[in-house]
């Protein structure tokens, strides 16, 4: 499958739909992709990366690095197994995004807008499939 969409186009469309700046949308979507790159199912990611030019590069960029965890995130990561680590990382991402002016409510508008853009261009909910492959993080990433 050749890319039918660019990551920059997803950012621009989702930012406009969610009422965020491009920089805010880029920070949130890049962080979410980084989390997915570390925890999502490989098949779901491969399909997303093939369809959205620049998504894989963004997911593995410095801006997508694993956020630091607080005390509660550390407890979740050690107690919750694989899904606990992903949930703890998602909590750390939410904390980091607050510094960018992106709260949980904004994220719950942004990520569905990005999913809609990807789905409209590809005919599949590729971003949603990747999110759903990570147990426990869907509600934090706008899928629930």
């Amino acid at each position: 499958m050749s890319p039918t969409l660019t990551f920059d186009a997803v950012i621009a469309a989702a930012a406009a739909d969610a009422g965020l700046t491009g920089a805010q949308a880029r920070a949130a979507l890049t962080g979410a992709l980084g989390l997915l790159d570390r925890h999502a199912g490989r098949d779901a990611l491969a399909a997303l990366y093939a369809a959205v030019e620049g998504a894989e590069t963004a997911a593995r960029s410095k801006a997508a690095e694993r956020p630091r965890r607080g005390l509660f995130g550390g407890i979740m990561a050690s107690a919750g197994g694989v899904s606990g680590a992903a949930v703890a990382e998602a909590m750390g991402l939410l904390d980091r995004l607050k510094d960018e002016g992106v709260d949980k409510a904004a994220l719950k508008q942004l990520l569905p807008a990005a999913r809609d853009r990807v789905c409209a261009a590809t005919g599949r909910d590729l971003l949603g499939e990747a999110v759903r492959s990570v147990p426990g993080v869907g509600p934090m990433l706008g899928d629930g």
Side-chain angles (χ1 to χ4, degrees), residues 35 39 66 69 73 76-78 80-90 137:
L35 184 147
H39 299 284
R66 186 182 319 265
R69 298 190 287 245
M76 285 291 299
S78 59
V82 174
S83 68
V87 170
E89 189 173 328
V137 301

Side-chain angles (χ1 to χ4, degrees), residues 11 19 21 24 30 39 56-59 62 66 69 72 78 83-84 88 140:
I11 289 168
T21 67
Q24 289 171 318
T30 299
H39 299 284
E56 185 172 11
T57 300
K62 184 161 179 58
R66 186 182 319 265
R69 298 190 287 245
F72 186 67
S78 59
S83 68
M140 286 185 253

Side-chain angles (χ1 to χ4, degrees), residues 29-138:
L29 292 174
T30 299
L33 279 176
L35 184 147
L36 292 173
D37 193 66
R38 288 182 287 281
H39 299 284
R42 297 295 105 190
D43 290 342
L45 280 177
L48 178 64
Y49 292 160
V52 182
E53 181 182 333
E56 185 172 11
T57 300
R60 296 180 181 166
S61 69
K62 184 161 179 58
E65 288 180 351
R66 186 182 319 265
R68 282 193 237 140
R69 298 190 287 245
L71 175 62
F72 186 67
I75 293 168
M76 285 291 299
S78 59
V82 174
S83 68
V87 170
E89 189 173 328
M91 291 169 59
L93 176 61
L94 290 172
D95 285 343
R96 184 172 75 195
L97 291 174
K98 284 181 191 172
D99 294 340
E100 302 282 339
V102 181
D103 61 12
K104 192 172 180 180
L107 198 59
K108 285 188 174 242
Q109 292 179 322
L110 178 69
L111 291 169
R115 286 178 56 194
D116 289 347
R117 180 69 176 105
V118 171
C119 191
T122 65
R124 276 181 64 191
D125 184 12
L126 297 171
L127 187 53
E129 290 171 24
V131 169
R132 286 188 297 276
S133 74
V134 185
V137 301

